[in-house]
Amino acid sequence: MEEFVVEVTMSDTNIDHQLRLENKELNKQIALQEVKLLEKEKAGEALQTSEKRYRRLFESAKDGILILDADTGKVVDVNPFLLQLLGYSYDALY
């Protein structure tokens, strides 16, 4: 039984061309990841801003606000106005 060995080689030009294509694709992927990272950072900043606004509203509201866990019925949070209205301390409700 005879063995046949086939050797395939690429010319330097083909290798260089292939490397350039792969480098170009990698650069596109890097740029895409940078865009995604910036979007994630912006979303995180927007979330923090929203949370701060919510917390200020919650803390300064002149309405009593009580947040309960729907499954357990335990107090999750209560605003200062309701504490004052009921005459309880924050720790007394937990």
Side-chain angles (χ1 to χ4, degrees), residues 5-82:
V5 177
V6 178
E7 191 174 313
V8 177
T9 60
M10 293 176 60
S11 69
D12 287 344
T13 304
N14 287 341
I15 292 172
D16 187 52
H17 178 70
Q18 187 65 31
L19 288 173
R20 287 180 194 271
L21 289 175
E22 290 177 13
N23 191 36
K24 188 175 182 180
E25 184 61 31
L26 286 173
N27 285 335
K28 285 181 187 178
Q29 292 298 322
I30 289 170
L32 181 62
Q33 292 301 320
E34 288 174 346
V35 168
K36 287 180 180 181
L37 181 61
L38 287 174
E39 288 173 353
K40 188 175 182 178
E41 287 175 2
K42 286 181 183 179
E45 290 170 2
L47 179 61
Q48 284 181 339
T49 300
S50 176
E51 288 173 345
K52 285 178 187 176
R53 291 177 66 209
Y54 164 78
R55 179 53 57 184
R56 279 195 307 262
L57 176 63
F58 180 80
E59 295 290 334
S60 64
K62 297 303 175 192
D63 293 307
I65 303 172
L66 179 67
I67 301 173
L68 301 174
D69 183 294
D71 295 327
T72 65
K74 291 186 178 183
V75 175
V76 174
D77 207 354
V78 59
N79 74 334
F81 185 82
L82 186 59

Side-chain angles (χ1 to χ4, degrees), residues 81-89 92:
F81 185 82
L82 186 59
L83 291 173
Q84 182 182 7
L85 187 69
L86 298 176
Y88 285 102
S89 69

